[in-house]
Amino acid sequence: MKYHNITKADMLNGEGLRVVLWVSGCSHHCPACQNAFTWDENDGLTFDDDAINEIYKELEADWCDGITLSGGDPLFLKNRKTIRDLVINIRTRYPNKTIWSYTGYTWEELMDQIKNDENLKDILENIDVLAEGRFVLSLASISAHYVGSTNQRLIDVQKSLKKGKPVIYKEKEDV
């Protein structure tokens, strides 16, 4: 897998302060995508032990609430094995950190794919929030929190898996 960047202390791509992994590879090619440069799966840096250790270092910090996987599409078919290994390791090493992921796939599309994809099953069993759906320029909204267009949803993955249907994620209220 290739990636473009690891952002530290990000507060735009999930709740709290987060580390964000920007992966390469996306098959959705949404018109007006803000990250079109990440579509090419062969572009970017090789995701290696140095990159993993950089992520772990950030996750060890008290200020870091968790990781967000973005891109590109972390659930791009060719990314799934590496993303699976990463989220399982993060969940094991940092059980109190949250794992968010973006994807252009809808929840329903993923549920169709999960039947034949153990990597996807393992990914979903280990992430907390999924920002899902393709970006649609005509539905773009600055009031859609953490997503770019109103058709996209924030899914509470664990509740959704238990209920067998998508459950919208409820953001934590500021204290």
Side-chain angles (χ1 to χ4, degrees):
M1 182 178 84
K2 301 273 190 166
Y3 75 103
H4 280 271
N5 195 17
I6 297 171
T7 306
K8 299 160 179 111
D10 180 286
M11 57 185 178
L12 300 174
N13 294 285
E15 285 182 331
L17 288 172
R18 315 184 67 72
V19 57
V20 181
L21 172 63
W22 303 89
V23 303
S24 300
C26 183
S27 57
H28 304 294
H29 299 183
C30 302
C33 172
Q34 69 177 359
N35 297 331
F37 64 92
T38 65
W39 292 352
D40 183 350
E41 67 188 270
N42 298 308
D43 192 31
L45 306 166
T46 300
F47 189 71
D48 58 13
D49 288 342
D50 288 340
I52 293 168
N53 290 330
E54 184 177 344
I55 290 168
Y56 288 169
K57 181 180 177 201
E58 296 305 310
L59 287 169
E60 288 169 8
D62 289 338
W63 59 260
C64 185
D65 292 295
I67 185 169
T68 298
L69 308 169
S70 193
D73 191 335
L75 300 184
F76 178 66
L77 290 175
K78 292 183 180 176
N79 290 342
R80 289 183 183 180
K81 172 69 171 101
T82 303
I83 294 296
R84 173 204 174 269
D85 294 345
L86 179 65
V87 297
I88 288 173
N89 287 332
I90 290 171
R91 180 61 65 215
T92 301
R93 289 176 71 137
Y94 308 100
N96 297 321
K97 304 289 181 166
T98 58
I99 303 173
W100 286 46
S101 184
Y102 282 82
T103 185
Y105 294 104
T106 64
W107 180 259
E108 292 77 13
E109 289 170 329
L110 293 172
M111 291 302 97
D112 285 341
Q113 294 174 26
I114 202 171
K115 300 167 193 161
N116 300 311
D117 189 335
E118 283 297 314
N119 289 325
L120 177 59
K121 180 180 179 290
D122 289 344
I123 291 167
L124 293 176
E125 287 176 350
N126 284 282
I127 65 173
D128 300 294
V129 178
L130 184 71
E132 58 90 54
R134 290 160 190 76
F135 173 73
V136 177
L137 183 58
S138 65
L139 299 175
S141 171
I142 58 170
S143 64
H145 209 199
Y146 299 123
V147 294
S149 56
T150 57
N151 62 298
Q152 297 172 304
R153 301 177 289 186
L154 289 180
I155 302 292
D156 184 317
V157 176
Q158 298 314 306
K159 286 182 181 177
S160 298
L161 290 172
K162 284 179 188 162
K163 288 197 169 207
K165 64 180 184 177
V167 175
I168 301 303
Y169 178 72
K170 303 274 192 254
E171 293 181 58
K172 295 179 180 127
E173 294 185 26
D174 293 330
V175 178

